[in-house]
Amino acid sequence: YVAVILDVIVANDRRGRGLGDQLVTALLHLPAVASVHSVELVCQPEMIPFYERHGFGADVGGSTLMRRTADSALRG
């Protein structure tokens, strides 16, 4: 099985207090998540170091994020 994390968002006025680290750690230790073979996520480039601290890596082969949306704000 594969688990997917779509968003971990901490409000601007709450950042820098370790809340994101606590959320990701708690999520990864949930029995339903801890038992999967792969946990995948989508993040902005500036968040890569944050997720690398939790064991994630950007080397995922040739995977590409694709989207189909009617929301013009989410296009290109």
Side-chain angles (χ1 to χ4, degrees), residues 12-76:
N12 287 336
D13 64 336
R14 305 284 182 164
R15 291 182 182 166
R17 301 179 189 180
L19 295 174
D21 283 317
Q22 290 176 10
L23 285 169
V24 172
T25 298
L27 178 65
L28 294 175
H29 285 90
L30 290 171
V33 177
S35 64
V36 300
H37 292 143
S38 181
V39 179
E40 301 175 359
L41 60 86
V42 176
C43 72
Q44 296 299 311
E46 65 271 13
M47 296 304 298
I48 290 173
F50 170 82
Y51 288 109
E52 285 178 335
R53 291 196 314 259
H54 291 278
F56 289 89
D59 184 11
V60 293
S63 295
T64 301
L65 172 66
M66 298 179 72
R67 174 181 291 139
R68 180 176 181 238
T69 182
D71 185 342
S72 62
L74 296 175
R75 288 191 215 133

